[in-house]
Amino acid sequence: MFPEFPISPEYLSEPLQPHLADDLAEHGWSQQNIFLPEQLTLELAAECRLLAASGALNAASVGRGTAQAIRTDIRGDRILWLKAGQSPACDSYLHIMENLRIALNRTLYLGLADYESHFALYTPGASYQTHLDRFRDDDCRTVSVIIYLNHDWLPEQGGALRLHPQGGSVQDISPLGSRLVLFLSADMLHEVLPATRDRLSLAGWFRRRPALDN
Ligand code: OGA
Ligand code: MN
């Protein structure tokens, strides 16, 4: 059963599957298949498509500072960073992620302080080569979160998120609508394989506070 929409303020105080935090701590990654309400997934997908059609998504870059560059051979998605208040659907999503942040802190003591997130659209053939989500000069990103917005995705359409867990076997995860994937940003090498249809998602990062300089 999908949870109801609009989201009640209590949503996700309980429905977080108990294995989620344990898997993350033990294996460095976890997933939950029906994480968002179906109606909310549909609204977020429609918003992402509308933003794409209006030209609001921009080619994503790799690296930071002077090393920042658009390299579509490395990373082919187009993105838009979310802002609080941009739409009711985005606010519902951000509310759910805030509850997830609190739930993860309660079980794993990760000290997650905030969340940043963007829509991402990979058109057919676009991919993202194997990478880590942490920048070399910034270790705040702690837990990576991907939620997929694709109705009726078939495995033969490609587009898997491929995880390379340290000491574990490779995992291919199809970008099926409402599915949540979590992994530890510092250690999980991962890549996005090309697909034969548009691939929509929300990617985000729970971050710790930066260490204070002496
Ligand atoms: C990213 C990323 C994975 C996915 O945006 O950094 O790795 O499945 N996304 O979309
Ligand atoms: Mn990534």
Side-chain angles (χ1 to χ4, degrees):
M1 267 297 287
F2 283 100
E4 277 169 25
F5 181 79
I7 305 295
S8 69
E10 305 78 42
Y11 182 70
L12 206 68
S13 53
E14 278 317 317
L16 192 63
Q17 289 179 357
H19 68 85
L20 210 66
D22 293 347
D23 282 353
L24 184 62
E26 226 171 285
H27 307 294
W29 71 281
S30 186
Q31 72 156 58
Q32 179 168 324
N33 276 344
I34 300 173
F35 180 73
L36 287 189
E38 187 176 30
Q39 186 59 31
L40 179 56
T41 302
L42 291 172
E43 293 204 17
L44 290 166
E47 184 165 342
C48 184
R49 285 190 189 289
L50 209 63
L51 289 166
S54 70
L57 303 186
N58 297 306
S61 56
V62 294
R64 287 216 329 166
T66 51
Q68 189 168 2
I70 292 171
R71 288 280 309 273
T72 52
D73 53 327
I74 297 176
R75 174 174 189 187
D77 57 335
R78 284 186 295 134
I79 67 167
L80 181 74
W81 289 96
L82 260 59
K83 290 197 195 83
Q86 85 178 54
S87 70
C90 284
D91 280 356
S92 290
Y93 159 75
L94 291 173
H95 176 83
I96 290 171
M97 300 320 286
E98 174 61 8
N99 285 343
L100 177 58
R101 184 186 71 81
I102 292 164
L104 290 175
N105 276 344
R106 206 180 286 138
T107 34
L108 297 180
Y109 310 104
L110 288 171
L112 307 174
D114 64 21
Y115 185 63
E116 58 179 0
S117 177
H118 61 62
F119 279 114
L121 169 67
Y122 292 77
T123 50
S127 63
Y128 194 161
Q129 288 183 12
T130 308
H131 65 282
L132 287 176
D133 281 348
R134 247 192 203 181
F135 299 110
R136 222 159 279 154
D137 60 346
D138 177 350
D139 62 0
C140 292
R141 284 180 169 182
T142 303
V143 177
S144 301
V145 185
I146 319 283
I147 292 178
Y148 299 107
L149 305 176
N150 309 295
H151 203 61
D152 289 338
W153 192 277
L154 301 171
E156 57 267 31
Q157 291 168 331
L161 166 64
R162 178 168 286 174
L163 301 178
H164 299 268
Q166 286 172 359
S169 52
V170 167
Q171 304 284 332
D172 280 357
I173 302 169
S174 260
L176 193 59
S178 297
R179 173 174 281 167
L180 165 85
V181 181
L182 298 177
F183 53 87
L184 296 177
S185 310
D187 337 291
M188 182 62 74
L189 281 166
H190 60 284
E191 60 188 304
V192 177
L193 305 183
T196 56
R197 58 179 266 202
D198 283 353
R199 177 192 193 273
L200 278 53
S201 62
L202 281 159
W205 295 272
F206 289 118
R207 298 186 312 181
R208 285 199 284 247
R209 291 222 164 71
L212 294 173
D213 286 332
N214 291 319

